[in-house]
Amino acid sequence: MTKRPLLNEGRIAPVTGAETETDRLANAMSYLRAVEQEAAERHNWLEAMINHIPDYIYAKDADGHFLFVNEAVVRDNGFDHASELIGKTDFDLHSFDAATSIAEVERRVMTSGLADLGIEERALRGGDERWLMMSRVPLRNGKGESIGVVGMSRDITARKAAEHLLQTQARLLELVAKGMPLDRLLEELVLMIEARMGDTRAAVMVMTDDGRQLSLGAAPSLPAEYCQLVNLIEVSHDSGISGRAAFSGEPQSALDLMDAPPSEHCLRMARRLGLRSCRSMPIRSQGKVLGTLDLYSERPGAPDPRHNDLIGLAADLAGIAIERSRAEARISFLARHDALTGLPNRLHLDAEFENLLASAEKAGRDVAVAFVDLDNFKLVNDSLGHAAGDDLLKITAARMRECVEDSGMVARVGGDEFIIALPIARGADSSLSEKFEHVRRRIAEPMLLEGMHFHVTSSIGVACYPVHGMSVAQLLLNADAAMYRAKEVGRDNLQIFSTEMPETAHEKLKLTEQMRQGLGKDEFVLHFQPQWNQQSGAVSGVEALIRWQHPQLGLVFPSDFIPLAEETGLIANIGDWVLNEACRQAKTWQEQGLPPLVMSVNVSARQFRERAWVSQVADALATSGLDPQYLELEVTESLIMQDMNGAIDRMRQLTGLGVKLAIDDFGTGYSSLSALNSFPVSRLKIDRSFVADIPEDAGNMAITAAIVSLAQKLGLNVIAEGVETATQAAFLLQCGCEDMQGYYFSRPIDAEQCEALLRSAPLLGRQ
């Protein structure tokens, strides 16, 4: 640091004995001039420094007269020089009320001797709303007495605007989280924009499901006649400013509506309402245009750039709200409909069946109930893959719905099982057969799968109200019996229920006994499907899947015997065997030197409801010696929701053992988000029906991404099943879903093949 020279260095001669009185006087005068010069230099330096500070700095005397102001204060009050302000008071500059308020604060600071720091106030000048952070401290003399006040303030308008944006975002996101209806939420959003932008009126347009039109979502401040005019707008390059914005995905502007072309009916009407400019912003979510945010101003030109952040935030929030609303609608739809075909599911059928019977009875009509089962559907799945099987189901569903039209209902109640309920004229036996023969023939028409034409036949059993049953349960039971009869006589045919058909119950008993004996004869085996972590490229676990090595029928898949096992209660015995065998195999692999992997085991509803189920799990772990952390039990949403309180209690007992829990087929059940948050689970398993149509089905992609995001926010792991293509795997990984299983990685394989795979593949814990 450079040392400052003393005041007399090089300026005042040393005092000598010969110095005269005149010399001493001249020397003193020179010294005084040097002091004054240095003081002036320090004053100018200090004043220049203060004037370069962008904050407002001033000093006042005890009567409120300005003693000093920096350049920022001068400019803010509309003056050119500081001298124009010196001596003035706030009563010379502001209204009486404002000046009185300022004087009271400054008098309190001088009287109390206490500083008034960090007070946020609206600025008294500046046109648009501005905010200042004010601080005032006492001005004291050499004796420490208050003789005035020193004030400092900083413009915090930008910070306040940012805070307001964050508060607005938080409030609207809270409304989204609480499930506020979309129309009300968009109205809140529009009102927020209008309150901040003053001379602007706004509207939100929402894209229709088919992506061809925009419908009015909210426009609370625009007249009804204008809202009616813009209620439906085509999405195209020549359909108005909103249609162009949605079509191009880019903002569109009309800076002066006085120049609007004759074809722009909406803009010309807006001009008649006193609006002079319009800007349309695309609303996006995950790269997809979901609508537009339209801003109408009473003055020509582009919106104030200071509002760009607000406009961008509003468009983002609108996108979140629209996407959330669509996802909720989709989930609500899936609660009562089949995700793959869009048909009503068993829950919906049960809810509507009684109404259908009551309406038919009132109208003097019968109701025909048909069980439809596709013949050899498993062969298509096994030979062409699940994607082709799914296409087959969708085509078949569409054909049945076409045959029934609006007069009845078609529901999917199983993998390849459907139920048709159709009102018919009373006693019309001939037309009954004719209608369902038409359905059977329509199903059997050729369909193109994987580039090949297939003929898929069906077995149909029909029961009729009131002749074959007075209740829903009896009708379904008898229709099911008729369908089994159709299969017995060669498939690809239609059977009307007759009283002899209950003989088929004997066959069910026979198969049940064969399953019971098969357990004792070790005819059941486990196959294992590896689960892969795409981030690391390693196997993260395996899922145990049961097969029946039937002595006459060969390898029987679970879809052919598990439904009967569940119906007869034998599923509990089979489930116990699967649990014990899976634990034993997992421990055996560990003892053979393989790193520990999580073994996933499916749990049936019947098993889960068993009172001793938790004890049985503990026994299986103890017998095998498997550490509980390497066992994961998969339960379905619908299983939990049958008795949610009891299910949660049982799940907590299981997690108390150290076992992991996962929700299987997530997204196809009907659990609420609030209920999900209370489930003591560690993983969600995305149902394959959502993965199968990726990337063709944008809706399923959105739901899949939402499920992954939801799991992450709840601190849950997530795994997707049914992954069959690289495109599906890449999309899931992009969404944040790292764990996957499906034919793309490996089919279910037996224990020996699985061990070989685990020894050759990277494993978590052995990279």
Side-chain angles (χ1 to χ4, degrees):
M1 183 174 180
T2 304
K3 181 180 179 183
R4 287 181 58 83
L6 298 176
L7 287 173
N8 65 346
E9 285 183 359
R11 301 177 187 171
I12 304 176
V15 178
T16 65
E19 185 178 37
T20 66
E21 185 67 24
T22 301
D23 292 335
R24 283 196 293 272
L25 181 61
N27 203 25
M29 292 297 292
S30 176
Y31 176 78
L32 290 175
R33 283 194 297 272
V35 170
E36 290 176 352
Q37 181 179 354
E38 183 165 349
E41 289 175 355
R42 289 183 177 180
H43 174 80
N44 291 336
W45 174 77
L46 180 61
E47 186 173 7
M49 180 182 68
I50 293 176
N51 280 329
H52 276 85
I53 295 175
D55 295 344
Y56 307 118
I57 303 174
Y58 63 88
K60 296 180 184 177
D61 64 16
D63 296 322
H65 297 94
F66 284 100
L67 301 174
F68 170 81
V69 291
N70 71 345
E71 288 294 329
V73 177
V74 173
R75 289 193 305 271
D76 188 64
N77 284 278
F79 294 101
D80 296 323
H81 303 288
S83 59
E84 298 176 76
L85 263 173
I86 304 302
K88 285 184 168 52
T89 70
D90 285 303
F91 289 93
D92 299 318
L93 304 175
H94 308 303
S95 68
F96 179 80
D97 291 341
T100 301
S101 177
I102 295 172
E104 288 176 354
V105 175
E106 294 178 346
R107 188 179 303 111
R108 184 171 63 250
V109 171
M110 288 185 288
T111 303
S112 67
L114 301 175
D116 188 59
L117 303 175
I119 306 303
E120 296 181 357
E121 299 178 1
R122 281 191 173 88
L124 299 175
R125 296 179 181 274
D128 294 336
E129 181 180 285
R130 293 170 56 236
W131 282 83
L132 302 175
M133 178 177 285
M134 303 289 299
S135 294
R136 300 175 178 91
V137 298
L139 176 64
R140 303 180 188 275
N141 60 17
K143 300 177 182 180
E145 300 169 337
S146 294
I147 60 172
V149 66
V150 175
M152 292 153 283
S153 60
R154 172 169 295 175
D155 192 320
I156 58 170
T157 304
R159 195 199 79 191
K160 293 291 286 186
E163 289 177 355
H164 184 84
L165 281 178
L166 288 174
Q167 292 167 359
T168 300
Q169 180 183 29
R171 183 171 66 87
L172 290 173
L173 286 175
E174 181 181 6
L175 296 179
V176 171
K178 288 182 176 179
M180 174 178 279
L182 181 62
D183 55 347
R184 288 179 53 199
L185 196 144
L186 293 179
E187 185 171 312
E188 287 279 337
L189 181 66
V190 167
L191 293 174
M192 177 271 292
I193 296 171
E194 294 175 346
R196 293 289 297 166
M197 296 183 64
D199 64 349
T200 296
R201 282 183 267 183
V204 175
M205 306 294 292
V206 180
M207 189 83 77
T208 55
D209 291 338
D210 60 10
R212 297 179 180 178
Q213 292 180 310
L214 294 170
S215 64
L216 184 63
S221 302
L222 290 171
E225 59 175 335
Y226 187 77
C227 292
Q228 185 176 3
L229 181 65
V230 300
N231 186 42
L232 278 179
I233 295 177
E234 296 295 324
V235 175
S236 69
H237 68 281
D238 59 354
S239 60
I241 187 168
S242 301
R244 287 198 303 274
F247 180 79
S248 66
E250 300 293 335
Q252 301 292 321
S253 297
L255 301 182
D256 193 340
L257 301 189
M258 298 301 291
D259 301 328
S263 60
E264 295 276 15
H265 304 295
C266 299
L267 296 185
R268 287 191 291 113
M269 177 175 281
R271 184 176 65 198
R272 291 199 300 271
L273 297 173
L275 304 173
R276 289 293 305 276
S277 62
C278 178
R279 183 182 185 187
S280 184
M281 290 283 296
I283 295 171
R284 296 176 176 275
S285 179
Q286 299 183 8
K288 181 181 178 181
V289 176
L290 301 180
T292 62
L293 172 62
D294 299 340
L295 305 169
Y296 300 88
S297 177
E298 297 172 0
R299 56 183 176 80
D304 191 325
R306 289 177 296 179
H307 292 142
N308 285 345
D309 288 343
L310 174 65
I311 295 171
L313 172 64
D316 290 342
L317 290 174
I320 292 172
I322 295 170
E323 189 66 44
R324 170 66 179 269
S325 177
R326 289 185 173 179
E328 287 181 344
R330 176 71 172 164
I331 291 172
S332 176
F333 176 84
L334 290 175
R336 297 171 66 89
H337 292 79
D338 172 54
L340 178 65
T341 63
L343 294 177
N345 59 16
R346 183 59 182 266
L347 179 68
H348 191 177
L349 179 70
D350 290 344
E352 296 297 326
F353 217 135
E354 293 289 355
N355 294 333
L356 187 64
L357 293 183
S359 298
E361 180 65 32
K362 186 176 180 180
R365 295 170 64 83
D366 291 348
V367 176
V369 180
F371 251 107
V372 180
D373 186 90
L374 303 184
D375 301 326
N376 299 316
F377 172 71
K378 186 173 72 69
L379 180 62
V380 175
N381 260 354
D382 292 346
S383 59
L384 297 183
H386 290 295
D390 289 347
D391 287 342
L392 185 154
L393 292 172
K394 287 188 285 189
I395 293 171
T396 302
R399 291 178 177 180
M400 286 190 288
R401 193 161 39 201
E402 174 190 306
C403 293
V404 172
E405 298 178 333
D406 297 330
S407 57
M409 179 187 300
V410 181
R412 184 186 178 203
V413 295
D416 61 344
E417 292 182 341
F418 301 85
I419 292 177
I420 300 175
L422 183 65
I424 61 171
R426 179 148 292 175
D429 294 340
S430 59
S431 62
L432 176 65
S433 298
E434 182 180 338
K435 285 180 180 295
F436 287 106
E437 279 292 348
H438 174 62
V439 172
R440 187 185 62 80
R441 290 193 299 269
R442 185 73 178 92
I443 291 173
E445 291 177 5
M447 60 179 70
L448 188 64
L449 299 174
E450 298 293 319
M452 296 181 287
H453 285 90
F454 276 80
H455 293 265
V456 180
T457 61
S458 61
S459 299
I460 303 177
V462 180
C464 192
Y465 168 87
V467 178
H468 301 140
M470 297 293 293
S471 68
V472 173
Q474 189 64 45
L475 287 168
L476 293 177
L477 181 64
N478 290 341
D480 188 37
M483 183 270 292
Y484 272 105
R485 179 59 179 166
K487 286 190 175 293
E488 289 172 3
V489 297
R491 307 191 179 198
D492 189 20
N493 72 95
L494 167 71
Q495 293 289 319
I496 308 295
F497 176 77
S498 67
T499 55
E500 293 81 13
M501 288 178 178
E503 291 294 327
T504 55
H506 176 72
E507 294 300 321
K508 291 185 178 180
L509 289 174
K510 179 180 176 181
L511 184 59
T512 302
E513 184 58 29
Q514 288 177 342
M515 282 192 288
R516 184 174 288 108
Q517 293 177 7
L519 279 171
K521 296 178 180 179
D522 293 328
E523 292 177 1
F524 290 94
V525 295
L526 287 184
H527 282 193
F528 304 91
Q529 187 167 40
Q531 299 171 339
W532 294 76
N533 182 279
Q534 279 291 83
Q535 190 66 35
S536 63
V539 177
S540 58
V542 295
E543 180 180 1
L545 301 167
I546 191 171
R547 302 290 187 263
W548 184 7
Q549 191 65 55
H550 194 282
Q552 286 81 41
L553 301 177
L555 192 65
V556 182
F557 285 82
S559 59
D560 293 327
F561 64 87
I562 290 296
L564 181 58
E566 291 178 335
E567 180 183 336
T568 59
L570 194 57
I571 189 66
N573 296 30
I574 293 176
D576 289 345
W577 179 86
V578 171
L579 174 65
N580 283 275
E581 180 63 16
C583 290
R584 185 200 63 77
Q585 184 63 70
K587 183 63 176 178
T588 298
W589 281 335
Q590 292 179 18
E591 292 172 345
Q592 291 173 347
L594 290 173
L597 290 175
V598 173
M599 175 71 73
S600 295
V601 177
N602 289 283
V603 181
S604 72
R606 186 70 173 263
Q607 278 178 284
F608 195 74
R609 288 195 295 267
E610 290 284 338
R611 292 185 178 181
W613 171 238
V614 177
S615 298
Q616 290 168 353
V617 173
D619 290 344
L621 291 168
T623 301
S624 64
L626 181 67
D627 191 315
Q629 66 176 311
Y630 299 118
L631 175 63
E632 179 181 72
L633 300 177
E634 297 183 3
V635 295
T636 63
E637 284 182 280
S638 55
L639 181 156
I640 297 171
M641 296 306 293
Q642 290 172 8
D643 176 18
M644 190 171 71
N645 292 333
I648 292 175
D649 181 62
R650 198 164 290 113
M651 286 192 290
R652 286 174 178 162
Q653 294 178 47
L654 289 167
T655 55
L657 296 177
V659 171
K660 294 180 172 64
L661 292 176
I663 296 184
D664 193 14
D665 298 339
F666 184 76
T668 62
Y670 47 92
S671 61
S672 65
L673 295 183
S674 60
L676 176 61
N677 196 37
S678 66
F679 298 160
V681 299
S682 59
R683 184 154 73 162
L684 302 183
K685 195 167 190 180
I686 302 173
D687 185 65
R688 62 179 306 279
S689 62
F690 296 118
V691 178
D693 288 335
I694 293 173
E696 290 80 10
D697 192 325
N700 278 352
M701 292 174 70
I703 291 175
T704 300
I707 292 174
V708 175
S709 176
L710 172 65
Q712 292 171 342
K713 287 181 172 60
L714 292 175
L716 302 176
N717 296 322
V718 63
I719 183 172
E721 63 178 346
V723 180
E724 298 190 359
T725 67
T727 302
Q728 294 168 351
F731 171 77
L732 289 163
L733 186 60
Q734 181 184 359
C735 291
C737 176
E738 298 180 0
D739 291 329
M740 308 174 200
Q741 71 181 83
Y743 281 14
Y744 177 66
F745 305 103
S746 172
R747 292 172 176 266
I749 50 182
D750 63 30
E752 183 178 345
Q753 293 171 315
C754 189
E755 180 184 342
L757 184 148
L758 296 178
R759 291 195 181 280
S760 61
L763 306 182
L764 287 182
R766 185 195 72 190
Q767 299 297 320

